[in-house]
Amino acid sequence: MSKLRQSAKGMPCTLQLTDCCNHNCETTVLAHIRLGFNAGFGQKPPDHHALFACSDCHDAIDGRTKVYWDYKDILRGHLRTLDIWVKQGLIKI
């Protein structure tokens, strides 16, 4: 397991979808952002193409629940996650 995946454990959800976020740090995982160019069929995108998501937000962006979200939500969560990784020294700029 990569250091970026491990870093999600116990962290707050950075996605925080208004209609579903449970704000439970115990359920937070690294949720990969899937776009047409960053992963093939049955493959995960790289770990730096991800954000911290609680179980309910993760279900929403993976399509397991019918909660509205758009890519502004994804971008906000991804940037929040990147800020955390930079502060933790996991990513250097």
Side-chain angles (χ1 to χ4, degrees), residues 20 23 29 54 62 64 68 70-71 73 76:
C20 71
H23 302 281
V29 296
C54 69
D62 277 358
R64 291 186 288 273
Y68 174 79
D70 68 26
Y71 278 98
D73 299 311
R76 182 187 65 242

Side-chain angles (χ1 to χ4, degrees), residues 1-9 30 47-49 52 85 90-91:
M1 183 178 290
S2 79
K3 289 181 181 183
L4 296 181
R5 284 189 197 186
Q6 290 173 348
S7 73
K9 186 173 181 167
L30 190 66
D47 286 345
H48 62 279
H49 291 192
F52 298 156
W85 286 336
L90 294 171
I91 291 180

Side-chain angles (χ1 to χ4, degrees), residues 18 21 27 37 79 83 88:
T18 304
C21 188
T27 69
F37 69 90
L79 294 177
D83 284 344
Q88 291 177 341

Side-chain angles (χ1 to χ4, degrees), residues 80-91:
R80 287 176 177 167
T81 304
L82 285 174
D83 284 344
I84 291 168
W85 286 336
V86 169
K87 288 176 188 170
Q88 291 177 341
L90 294 171
I91 291 180

Side-chain angles (χ1 to χ4, degrees), residues 44-63:
K44 284 187 188 268
D47 286 345
H48 62 279
H49 291 192
L51 48 77
F52 298 156
C54 69
S55 57
D56 291 344
C57 286
H58 192 207
D59 285 346
I61 65 171
D62 277 358

Side-chain angles (χ1 to χ4, degrees), residues 8-54:
K9 186 173 181 167
M11 294 297 291
C13 179
T14 57
L15 185 52
Q16 297 179 354
L17 296 174
T18 304
D19 294 335
C20 71
C21 188
N22 65 35
H23 302 281
N24 183 349
C25 298
E26 298 287 320
T27 69
T28 301
V29 296
L30 190 66
H32 292 86
I33 302 165
R34 294 183 181 277
L35 298 169
F37 69 90
N38 69 344
F41 184 74
Q43 295 177 320
K44 284 187 188 268
D47 286 345
H48 62 279
H49 291 192
L51 48 77
F52 298 156
C54 69

